Amino acid sequence: MNNFIITYSGSTPRTIYIDNIAKSKSKLILITSVGENEIKKKADVVLPMTTREKLYTNIATYSSFISTMLILDMLYSCYFQENFDENLQHKREVTKIYEPLRRATNEVMIED
Protein backbone atom coordinates (compact mmCIF):
# COMPACT_ATOMS: atom_id res chain seq x y z
CA MET A 1 0.00 0.00 0.00
CA ASN A 2 1.12 3.55 -0.70
CA ASN A 3 0.59 6.58 1.47
CA PHE A 4 -0.24 9.97 -0.01
CA ILE A 5 0.65 13.28 1.56
CA ILE A 6 -0.57 16.56 0.11
CA THR A 7 1.26 19.61 1.40
CA TYR A 8 1.96 22.99 -0.14
CA SER A 9 5.09 23.89 1.82
CA GLY A 10 6.21 20.45 3.03
CA SER A 11 7.89 22.06 5.99
CA THR A 12 5.48 22.32 8.93
CA PRO A 13 6.43 20.24 12.00
CA ARG A 14 3.11 18.37 11.95
CA THR A 15 3.50 17.42 8.28
CA ILE A 16 7.07 16.24 8.82
CA TYR A 17 5.90 14.16 11.80
CA ILE A 18 3.13 12.53 9.74
CA ASP A 19 5.61 11.95 6.94
CA ASN A 20 7.91 10.02 9.26
CA ILE A 21 5.06 7.75 10.33
CA ALA A 22 3.80 7.23 6.76
CA LYS A 23 7.27 6.54 5.40
CA SER A 24 7.92 3.85 8.01
CA LYS A 25 4.81 1.90 6.89
CA SER A 26 5.04 1.96 3.10
CA LYS A 27 6.03 3.96 0.07
CA LEU A 28 5.26 7.65 0.09
CA ILE A 29 3.68 9.53 -2.80
CA LEU A 30 3.93 13.26 -2.22
CA ILE A 31 1.89 16.01 -3.86
CA THR A 32 3.63 19.30 -3.09
CA SER A 33 4.68 22.63 -4.52
CA VAL A 34 7.65 23.11 -6.81
CA GLY A 35 10.93 23.73 -4.97
CA GLU A 36 12.75 21.99 -2.17
CA ASN A 37 11.27 20.99 1.17
CA GLU A 38 11.98 18.48 3.94
CA ILE A 39 9.47 15.83 2.94
CA LYS A 40 10.40 15.87 -0.75
CA LYS A 41 13.83 14.45 0.14
CA LYS A 42 12.23 11.32 1.63
CA ALA A 43 9.35 10.72 -0.80
CA ASP A 44 9.41 7.79 -3.20
CA VAL A 45 7.35 9.69 -5.79
CA VAL A 46 6.86 13.45 -6.02
CA LEU A 47 3.97 14.90 -8.01
CA PRO A 48 4.40 18.68 -8.20
CA MET A 49 1.41 20.98 -7.93
CA THR A 50 1.40 24.48 -9.32
CA THR A 51 3.13 27.12 -7.24
CA ARG A 52 1.34 30.41 -7.77
CA GLU A 53 0.43 31.41 -4.23
CA LYS A 54 2.32 33.07 -1.44
CA LEU A 55 2.65 31.13 1.79
CA TYR A 56 0.83 33.65 4.01
CA THR A 57 -0.42 36.56 1.90
CA ASN A 58 -2.58 34.65 -0.55
CA ILE A 59 -6.27 35.49 -0.61
CA ALA A 60 -7.28 31.91 -1.30
CA THR A 61 -5.76 28.68 -2.53
CA TYR A 62 -7.37 28.57 -5.97
CA SER A 63 -4.44 27.47 -8.13
CA SER A 64 -3.04 24.90 -5.70
CA PHE A 65 -6.53 23.50 -5.07
CA ILE A 66 -7.27 23.09 -8.77
CA SER A 67 -3.80 21.67 -9.41
CA THR A 68 -4.20 19.14 -6.60
CA MET A 69 -7.66 18.12 -7.79
CA LEU A 70 -6.30 17.59 -11.30
CA ILE A 71 -3.51 15.35 -9.97
CA LEU A 72 -5.95 13.35 -7.82
CA ASP A 73 -8.40 12.99 -10.71
CA MET A 74 -5.62 11.67 -12.96
CA LEU A 75 -4.45 9.20 -10.31
CA TYR A 76 -8.03 8.01 -9.75
CA SER A 77 -8.57 7.62 -13.49
CA CYS A 78 -5.45 5.49 -13.85
CA TYR A 79 -6.45 3.35 -10.88
CA PHE A 80 -10.03 2.97 -12.13
CA GLN A 81 -8.84 2.05 -15.64
CA GLU A 82 -6.77 -0.90 -14.35
CA ASN A 83 -9.98 -2.89 -13.76
CA PHE A 84 -12.45 -0.70 -15.57
CA ASP A 85 -15.39 -3.11 -16.02
CA GLU A 86 -15.18 -4.42 -12.45
CA ASN A 87 -14.79 -0.92 -10.98
CA LEU A 88 -17.66 0.47 -13.05
CA GLN A 89 -19.97 -2.33 -11.97
CA HIS A 90 -18.99 -1.80 -8.31
CA LYS A 91 -19.54 1.96 -8.62
CA ARG A 92 -23.02 1.40 -10.08
CA GLU A 93 -23.99 -1.03 -7.32
CA VAL A 94 -22.77 1.26 -4.55
CA THR A 95 -24.47 4.30 -6.06
CA LYS A 96 -27.82 2.48 -6.30
CA ILE A 97 -27.56 1.52 -2.61
CA TYR A 98 -26.26 4.90 -1.45
CA GLU A 99 -28.65 7.04 -3.50
CA PRO A 100 -31.80 4.92 -4.01
CA LEU A 101 -34.15 7.90 -4.38
CA ARG A 102 -32.02 9.91 -6.79
CA ARG A 103 -33.80 10.61 -10.07
CA ALA A 104 -32.76 12.50 -13.18
CA THR A 105 -35.01 15.18 -14.58
CA ASN A 106 -32.74 15.96 -17.50
CA GLU A 107 -33.02 13.49 -20.39
CA VAL A 108 -29.24 13.48 -20.90
CA MET A 109 -28.72 12.19 -17.35
CA ILE A 110 -31.23 9.32 -17.47
CA GLU A 111 -29.59 5.90 -17.26
CA ASP A 112 -30.34 3.17 -19.79
Side-chain angles (χ1 to χ4, degrees):
M1 182 196 312
N2 295 317
N3 284 306
F4 288 83
I5 291 182
I6 302 171
T7 174
Y8 189 72
S9 71
S11 60
T12 63
R14 179 177 291 171
T15 305
I16 293 169
Y17 174 74
I18 291 169
D19 167 61
N20 289 330
I21 294 170
K23 183 67 179 157
S24 69
K25 304 289 182 188
S26 61
K27 293 192 178 208
L28 175 63
I29 299 171
L30 177 66
I31 300 173
T32 190
S33 61
V34 176
E36 290 304 314
N37 62 51
E38 283 296 309
I39 298 176
K40 195 178 272 190
K41 297 172 188 172
K42 297 182 272 180
D44 296 292
V45 176
V46 177
L47 302 171
M49 69 172 77
T50 187
T51 307
R52 292 284 183 205
E53 295 148 357
K54 301 291 184 193
L55 197 55
Y56 296 111
T57 58
N58 62 340
I59 295 171
T61 57
Y62 300 119
S63 65
S64 61
F65 177 78
I66 290 171
S67 178
T68 301
M69 291 299 102
L70 175 63
I71 292 168
L72 292 173
D73 284 347
M74 288 189 296
L75 288 170
Y76 178 77
S77 296
C78 292
Y79 174 79
F80 197 94
Q81 181 61 35
E82 285 183 358
N83 296 304
F84 183 84
D85 292 331
E86 182 180 321
N87 288 332
L88 183 59
Q89 182 61 32
H90 178 72
K91 190 248 182 255
R92 286 179 175 158
E93 291 170 4
V94 169
T95 301
K96 285 178 182 178
I97 294 168
Y98 183 70
E99 301 175 337
L101 302 177
R102 189 173 187 194
R103 301 289 180 257
T105 57
N106 183 331
E107 188 176 314
V108 174
M109 297 173 61
I110 296 173
E111 295 281 338
D112 296 332

